[in-house]
Amino acid sequence: MNEFSQFKNQEQLSKDIFQLFQNGIEFSDFKIIIKSKKETVIHAHKAILSSRSEYFYGLFRSKMKESQEGIVVFTDVSPEIFKLIIHYIYTGIIDINLNNAFEALISARKLLLDSGIINFLT
Amino acid sequence: MSRKMILRVPKFQEPKRMEKSEAQRLWLLLKDAIVEVQHMNASTLSFEELYRSSYSLVIAKRGDILYTGLEEVNNHHTKNLLDKIAQAVDERFLIELNSQWQQYKLQQIMIHDILMYLDRMYVKEPQLKVFDLGMFKWKQNVLIHSQINDRLVRMLLGLIHMERNGEVIDGALMKSLIQMYVDVSLKEKETYKQEFEERFLLATSHFYKSESNLFITNNSCGAYLKKVEIRLIEEEARIKQYLDESTGPKLIKACEDELIANHMQTMIEMETGCRTMIQNDRFNELKLMYRLFQRVENGLVHLKNEFAGYVRNEGHKIVNQPENLKDPNALITSLIEIRNRFEKTLSQSFANNRDFINSVNTAFESFLNENDKLSESLALFIDKKLRGGFKDSNDQEIDVIMNKVILLFRFLSDKDVFKKFYEHYLAKRLLSGRSFSEDLERTMISKFKQECGNQFTSKMEGMFTDMRLSKDALDGFKNYLQTSVEMGKLPKIDMSVRVLTQGFWPTFPPHSCTLPPLLSQYCDLFTKYYCHAHTGRRIIWQTNIGTAEVTFRLPKKTHVLALSTYQMLIMLLFNDAEKLSLKQMAAGTSISFMDIQRSVKPLYSGKYKVLKRTPAVEKSKELSENDIFELNLNLKCKLHRIKFAATSQTDSEPERQHTRQRVDEDRKIEIDAAIVRIMKSRKALIHNDLIVECTKQLSSRFVPQTSMIKKRIENLIEREYLERFPDDRRRYRYLA
């Protein structure tokens, strides 16, 4: 094998990390509650959230109420939109349409996601 | 997935303009939270709520309220902190300052996290980022405040001073406080440099200036060097422990200036300094000195010059020592010894630095050529070794000595003089059969060949060829004698002849003498035989360098005397006479009076006396023409064979003069050739250029004197190789 060859399989990486998310409570160390008409509970992982969003990085670092209790409550986003966002956080992939693009942008900006997704949505 | 997606996004809708009261409410909420953070009560606050509040203010374009508010809160807080810290007594001051600072830094991180959206979306240059704003307020209101800054720097420098004096201080505290100056610097560590580093470097220079002055006056140079090395290691450690790494090079430079650069001259000259170390071969101390001097500008130049100066001086002493001038062997042995010694210094102390080696070599060149006898001494030294001096050495030792000889030889500027002497002694060794080993002779010659090329050794090699051919010729002659008719009539003697090609061998001064008839006949026979075998050759007999064995019959005993040809002739005269004066000897043998003198001396003044002077006179008295000698019939000697030196001295002054003269003759030819070579290619040349070019061309063999070149030019003009330009007398033209 050539000394400088490289093997890349980011698709598999996305798939596997998302599997972690889909496994729900297993290994999860943080809960996100979306409060709109009803309450939606999402089981997530500090390591993933803090490395993908500066908002979450600050949230965990500041050791305020949320990081102490392991729960954050969002009231300014719908479960549908947040699911798009969390999918992007775990996989780097987002599927949007004309109806949800704007709301997704607002949420992505608030959570200070990477500039790539912000530019794409703008 | 860089697929370009075209989306029709509904036009960005401005959020409804926020009521002023709502904005005020959000700010107050944030302000309360910030104050809580500043009191370390953050754990009950909701990050999401605070973040959302700041976010809402920013998207409602109310970031200004937030930013100005933050500035005020920070201002107020830091002013409070100042009072608190300034009140601390000296013992508590640094600890209090440090703990407040550590907390403040954490708070600022938290405030930054809550206000991240503001930081990203609102703050624009030249406004400071949220965290930098916090740092700036600390710097403005606490750190550079007159109640803090001087006190802090003074205490930090005081602690460093204590540590330099051997006390233990809290390194972590130092690191945190010094790092504070870096943290509050907005760009390029300017606060750190201005407020701390500059004063620290000054204090450092000051400390080491007084320490080094005191230490060097009370201690030896070696102790001082060790102290300096330890100090430098300590300062390196200090950089790692609590200074900013950017200070490293500046700190080390300041130390090197004070500890090394300022004391270089002293370290060289002081009683225990560089000179003494070199004199006493203190390799380790010198090595340390080299390492330290290397760190400062021009440091090694000082050390190198000192060393080279010492080498030149030692060499000068050796080549001018009266005992050494008399004893070539001692001279060369001492030179090899100091060469070995300095090579050891070079390798053990000076890392075999090229510049050092070169300057030592230059020193050798200069003192070796101070003395014009060196060429001859070197040739004599090898002569002694090759006559048997190598007997007790193994191959490796011999090789080492030969290489040292070559090394010294390399420094000689008049290599042609050496060559002449070498050839002279080689000829003597070969002709007297005193060469210890032909292999070693050839090894030595091959080393010269490697050094100077074929031309240098072609004559020497020719001598060896002659020796071999002579043996063949002699065998042939012996066969010839057995078959020859004339042989039957002659009594048999054992004659050995060496045929030397003219040109290969040194020209021995021509001396004539009358051989006894029998010998003369043998010589004629040989001439006849040889010229028959090699037509076109002419034989000139050089009787003065021959040897002979003579039977000496005493009444009770018989001895065999090994003599030179001249001595044989003198002794043979006593077959027909009881007493002879020197004058009579000269007449009977046709040998010059001077040679008679020199040949007779070993016969009557050595350990075994075969002649005695009558009447007996003091030994020291000079011989005169009328001194009378007779055979010493009372000779007492247990040896059967007695060997006599050919002349009274190993090599007499006239002979040496003769060698010198021949060198000069050869030089004339070399110079002529060089001038003609140069002029042939350049056609026309100005006088000075010709001299320079000529000197350059000959420098590998000898250094020609300008006056000699001038004479040769004149001579070449006379012989019409060159002419002067009619309009410019200083220019020469080559005449083809």
Side-chain angles (χ1 to χ4, degrees):
Chain A
M1 194 191 278
N2 194 315
E3 216 181 322
F4 295 107
S5 58
Q6 187 185 47
F7 173 72
K8 250 183 167 182
N9 196 349
Q10 282 154 320
E11 231 168 90
Q12 188 63 40
L13 175 72
S14 291
K15 242 167 140 181
D16 291 347
I17 303 280
F18 194 61
Q19 189 59 48
L20 174 73
F21 174 70
Q22 284 186 316
N23 286 351
I25 199 153
E26 190 192 10
F27 301 132
S28 162
D29 55 1
F30 194 65
K31 267 195 281 189
I32 300 168
I33 296 173
I34 311 292
K35 258 193 187 154
S36 55
K37 284 155 245 166
K38 52 177 176 116
E39 244 183 51
T40 313
V41 178
I42 292 169
H43 297 284
H45 306 79
K46 286 183 183 174
I48 303 281
L49 295 174
S50 63
S51 61
R52 299 279 290 147
S53 148
E54 289 201 55
Y55 169 90
F56 282 111
Y57 179 73
L59 182 139
F60 295 126
R61 180 164 69 161
S62 66
K63 295 201 175 74
M64 290 186 182
K65 203 174 84 187
E66 288 85 349
S67 62
Q68 308 246 338
E69 293 172 357
I71 299 172
V72 67
V73 180
F74 287 142
T75 54
D76 52 359
V77 65
S78 70
E80 294 74 32
I81 295 296
F82 193 74
K83 273 180 186 155
L84 290 177
I85 295 293
I86 201 85
H87 185 268
Y88 178 74
I89 286 179
Y90 274 80
T91 62
I93 298 165
I94 190 162
D95 295 312
I96 48 158
N97 56 42
L98 287 176
N99 298 326
N100 57 21
F102 181 61
E103 278 180 87
L105 170 63
I106 290 187
S107 188
R109 282 171 74 118
K110 184 195 160 193
L111 297 178
L112 295 171
L113 299 189
D114 62 277
S115 56
I117 174 75
I118 306 282
N119 288 340
F120 172 72
L121 292 172
T122 306
Chain B
M1 54 157 267
S2 59
R3 181 165 50 94
K4 189 90 183 176
M5 196 169 176
I6 299 167
L7 282 176
R8 290 273 161 257
V9 174
K11 195 177 177 309
F12 189 85
Q13 290 166 344
E14 287 268 326
K16 282 207 185 82
R17 206 169 156 69
M18 193 183 265
E19 290 298 325
K20 206 172 175 187
S21 59
E22 172 64 2
Q24 200 55 36
R25 186 187 69 83
L26 289 177
W27 160 240
L28 285 178
L29 183 102
L30 280 165
K31 186 184 166 187
D32 286 348
I34 291 171
V35 172
E36 287 299 309
V37 168
Q38 285 169 344
H39 290 87
M40 304 306 277
N41 297 326
S43 60
T44 56
L45 298 171
S46 160
F47 181 84
E48 162 61 14
E49 191 188 354
L50 297 171
Y51 185 93
R52 190 153 27 84
S53 307
S54 112
Y55 167 78
S56 304
L57 281 169
V58 175
I59 59 170
K61 303 216 181 301
R62 290 300 191 149
D64 53 334
I65 296 181
L66 190 45
Y67 192 81
T68 9
L70 174 69
E71 218 174 333
E72 271 166 35
V73 176
N74 272 336
N75 219 9
H76 183 72
H77 181 55
T78 45
K79 280 180 178 164
N80 282 343
L81 288 176
L82 169 71
D83 291 340
K84 224 169 156 184
I85 298 163
Q87 276 169 17
V89 291
D90 273 359
E91 291 76 39
R92 294 284 312 153
F93 176 69
L94 293 181
I95 295 166
E96 179 67 21
L97 176 63
N98 185 46
S99 86
Q100 291 296 348
W101 160 246
Q102 291 299 345
Q103 285 181 9
Y104 185 81
K105 229 174 22 171
L106 284 179
Q107 294 157 9
Q108 289 302 318
I109 290 170
M110 238 181 250
I111 293 168
H112 161 265
D113 287 348
I114 303 168
L115 303 182
M116 213 174 330
Y117 203 79
L118 176 80
D119 209 33
R120 282 303 155 78
M121 305 300 175
Y122 171 79
V123 179
K124 298 271 169 329
E125 291 257 14
Q127 280 175 317
L128 294 174
K129 288 281 184 190
V130 171
F131 184 79
D132 291 344
L133 180 67
M135 293 295 110
F136 178 70
K137 284 293 157 194
W138 174 273
K139 171 182 159 185
Q140 195 183 36
N141 293 330
V142 181
L143 183 58
I144 63 166
H145 192 277
S146 57
Q147 283 178 281
I148 303 289
N149 195 23
D150 270 357
R151 194 173 169 199
L152 173 59
V153 173
R154 217 169 345 99
M155 289 179 76
L156 289 175
L157 295 182
L159 285 170
I160 293 173
H161 188 88
M162 279 164 60
E163 193 181 40
R164 281 180 176 145
N165 282 333
E167 289 179 53
V168 177
I169 64 168
D170 182 347
L173 179 66
M174 299 293 287
K175 187 176 178 61
S176 168
L177 290 169
I178 290 170
Q179 183 62 34
M180 177 168 68
Y181 281 100
V182 180
D183 288 344
V184 302
S185 305
L186 292 176
K187 54 183 179 221
E188 284 156 19
K189 302 176 177 170
E190 95 280 351
T191 313
Y192 171 76
K193 285 183 189 160
Q194 261 169 38
E195 305 298 333
F196 176 75
E197 187 187 60
E198 207 173 287
R199 294 168 69 179
F200 164 70
L201 291 175
L202 210 66
T204 300
S205 297
H206 191 75
F207 178 84
Y208 284 126
K209 188 186 284 299
S210 67
E211 182 186 71
S212 61
N213 280 332
L214 193 67
F215 197 91
I216 206 164
T217 26
N218 294 323
N219 292 278
S220 72
C221 184
Y224 180 74
L225 288 168
K226 275 178 201 133
K227 176 91 179 168
V228 171
E229 194 184 35
I230 291 168
R231 279 306 195 190
L232 288 170
I233 292 169
E234 283 172 4
E235 295 300 328
E236 296 276 5
R238 177 160 295 119
I239 297 163
K240 289 210 180 72
Q241 210 195 348
Y242 52 71
L243 294 169
D244 188 74
E245 61 174 5
S246 67
T247 306
K250 298 178 210 169
L251 171 60
I252 295 304
K253 170 83 170 56
C255 297
E256 286 166 349
D257 281 352
E258 291 302 336
L259 296 172
I260 306 169
N262 285 350
H263 295 290
M264 269 194 304
Q265 208 54 39
T266 318
M267 283 189 265
I268 283 172
E269 284 167 4
M270 66 196 283
E271 210 183 307
T272 53
C274 174
R275 258 166 231 174
T276 321
M277 292 176 190
I278 295 172
Q279 245 164 46
N280 298 320
D281 296 336
R282 306 273 270 272
F283 297 133
N284 287 337
E285 287 180 355
L286 284 171
K287 188 176 173 179
L288 182 54
M289 184 175 260
Y290 176 85
R291 263 211 321 265
L292 294 176
F293 276 34
Q294 197 174 26
R295 305 174 71 130
V296 302
E297 203 184 337
N298 285 330
L300 289 188
V301 177
H302 279 80
L303 190 53
K304 183 187 77 185
N305 289 345
E306 186 59 32
F307 184 52
Y310 178 77
V311 173
R312 191 168 320 122
N313 204 18
E314 286 299 289
H316 176 82
K317 273 195 251 166
I318 288 175
V319 296
N320 288 299
Q321 215 168 48
E323 301 96 82
N324 283 343
L325 288 180
K326 273 183 248 153
D327 181 354
N329 209 43
L331 171 63
I332 303 299
T333 309
S334 321
L335 287 174
I336 291 177
E337 267 166 23
I338 62 158
R339 180 73 202 180
N340 286 341
R341 191 181 143 208
F342 294 139
E343 278 178 6
K344 203 168 168 198
T345 318
L346 283 170
S347 74
Q348 300 226 338
S349 303
F350 302 141
N352 276 330
N353 179 313
R354 270 272 123 222
D355 285 349
F356 277 58
I357 293 176
N358 288 343
S359 66
V360 167
N361 287 348
T362 312
F364 265 77
E365 240 163 66
S366 102
F367 67 70
L368 286 181
N369 292 304
E370 255 174 42
N371 188 328
D372 67 343
K373 280 196 174 156
L374 206 99
S375 297
E376 189 185 358
S377 301
L378 190 60
L380 269 169
F381 173 81
I382 311 169
D383 182 58
K384 190 162 180 200
K385 291 285 178 203
L386 289 171
R387 274 169 187 264
F390 279 140
K391 214 166 12 192
D392 302 324
S393 313
N394 63 33
D395 287 356
Q396 208 189 342
E397 288 162 353
I398 292 173
D399 195 57
V400 168
I401 293 177
M402 284 187 173
N403 287 339
K404 286 280 145 56
V405 165
I406 292 288
L407 188 88
L408 294 178
F409 164 74
R410 200 175 292 154
F411 296 129
L412 292 179
S413 54
D414 293 342
K415 296 193 170 50
D416 59 340
V417 177
F418 171 82
K419 177 171 176 268
K420 271 281 175 297
F421 279 114
Y422 191 87
E423 284 164 0
H424 177 82
Y425 291 115
L426 172 63
K428 283 194 150 187
R429 281 199 298 282
L430 292 178
L431 294 178
S432 60
R434 298 292 285 276
S435 176
F436 171 63
S437 145
E438 189 176 329
D439 276 354
L440 290 180
E441 294 278 4
R442 288 194 181 274
T443 314
M444 192 69 239
I445 287 173
S446 75
K447 283 181 190 289
F448 285 119
K449 197 169 176 174
Q450 247 174 35
E451 190 68 23
C452 292
N454 277 333
Q455 202 198 354
F456 193 83
T457 54
S458 60
K459 288 188 180 181
M460 303 174 191
E461 280 163 351
M463 292 188 212
F464 281 101
T465 314
D466 276 355
M467 291 306 284
R468 207 183 59 237
L469 294 178
S470 292
K471 199 172 163 286
D472 297 347
L474 200 61
D475 289 346
F477 176 59
K478 280 179 183 157
N479 286 337
Y480 166 79
L481 284 181
Q482 278 170 6
T483 57
S484 157
V485 239
E486 288 140 290
M487 188 53 210
K489 301 170 215 160
L490 287 174
K492 223 174 164 180
I493 59 167
D494 189 10
M495 183 176 83
S496 159
V497 180
R498 302 237 165 82
V499 187
L500 316 180
T501 312
Q502 199 168 30
F504 289 164
W505 299 74
T507 48
F508 298 96
H511 296 279
S512 62
C513 65
T514 312
L515 292 175
L518 180 60
L519 263 181
S520 194
Q521 272 172 307
Y522 265 89
C523 288
D524 291 344
L525 270 175
F526 184 83
T527 311
K528 200 170 145 197
Y529 160 77
Y530 190 83
C531 291
H532 180 72
H534 306 274
T535 38
R537 295 195 187 176
R538 198 160 63 89
I539 282 184
I540 300 167
W541 291 89
Q542 294 252 253
T543 44
N544 53 319
I545 48 176
T547 57
E549 287 193 357
V550 176
T551 313
F552 185 43
R553 288 205 182 84
L554 291 171
K556 286 180 188 163
K557 216 175 169 185
T558 304
H559 290 284
V560 172
L561 310 180
L563 304 169
S564 74
T565 310
Y566 283 174
Q567 286 165 335
M568 167 193 77
L569 295 180
I570 293 164
M571 291 303 283
L572 287 179
L573 291 178
F574 285 97
N575 278 337
D576 305 317
E578 260 179 44
K579 289 181 183 181
L580 287 168
S581 72
L582 289 186
K583 199 174 177 181
Q584 285 169 314
M585 291 182 198
T589 57
S590 323
I591 302 171
S592 71
F593 175 68
M594 201 181 66
D595 284 333
I596 291 279
Q597 262 183 324
R598 286 169 53 199
S599 304
V600 162
K601 208 163 181 189
L603 299 178
Y604 80 94
S605 68
K607 192 175 174 192
Y608 304 115
K609 299 168 178 60
V610 289
L611 288 184
K612 61 182 182 186
R613 211 164 163 182
T614 44
V617 257
E618 282 169 58
K619 260 189 207 168
S620 58
K621 210 187 152 200
E622 275 296 307
L623 289 175
S624 83
E625 267 190 334
N626 299 317
D627 284 341
I628 310 249
F629 286 89
E630 62 179 310
L631 290 177
N632 177 17
L633 300 174
N634 300 321
L635 175 70
K636 285 196 174 62
C637 173
K638 283 178 187 161
L639 297 170
H640 175 62
R641 188 172 181 277
I642 310 173
K643 192 168 165 35
F644 291 89
T647 56
S648 51
Q649 293 150 309
T650 44
D651 219 328
S652 60
E653 196 50 37
E655 228 174 310
R656 190 175 291 129
Q657 292 281 344
H658 180 71
T659 307
R660 288 260 165 206
Q661 265 170 24
R662 283 198 345 255
V663 169
D664 277 350
E665 285 307 314
D666 285 0
R667 281 186 181 186
K668 280 183 194 163
I669 297 165
E670 292 254 17
I671 295 172
D672 285 356
I675 295 172
V676 170
R677 251 193 329 268
I678 294 162
M679 292 306 292
K680 201 169 180 176
S681 69
R682 306 284 285 270
K683 302 299 178 220
L685 211 56
I686 291 179
H687 177 79
N688 282 352
D689 292 350
L690 180 55
I691 301 262
V692 168
E693 188 66 21
C694 190
T695 311
K696 205 173 99 192
Q697 280 209 3
L698 295 169
S699 64
S700 69
R701 270 164 281 183
F702 61 95
V703 182
Q705 286 170 320
T706 312
S707 61
M708 194 157 174
I709 302 179
K710 269 188 199 157
K711 273 189 198 146
R712 296 323 299 163
I713 295 173
E714 293 297 332
N715 184 281
L716 287 169
I717 290 172
E718 269 171 41
R719 289 193 281 159
E720 296 186 338
Y721 280 94
L722 310 177
E723 69 172 5
R724 292 182 200 276
F725 276 79
D727 51 342
D728 182 358
R729 307 283 296 159
R730 299 195 55 75
R731 280 179 80 201
Y732 305 112
R733 184 177 16 228
Y734 179 67
L735 298 173

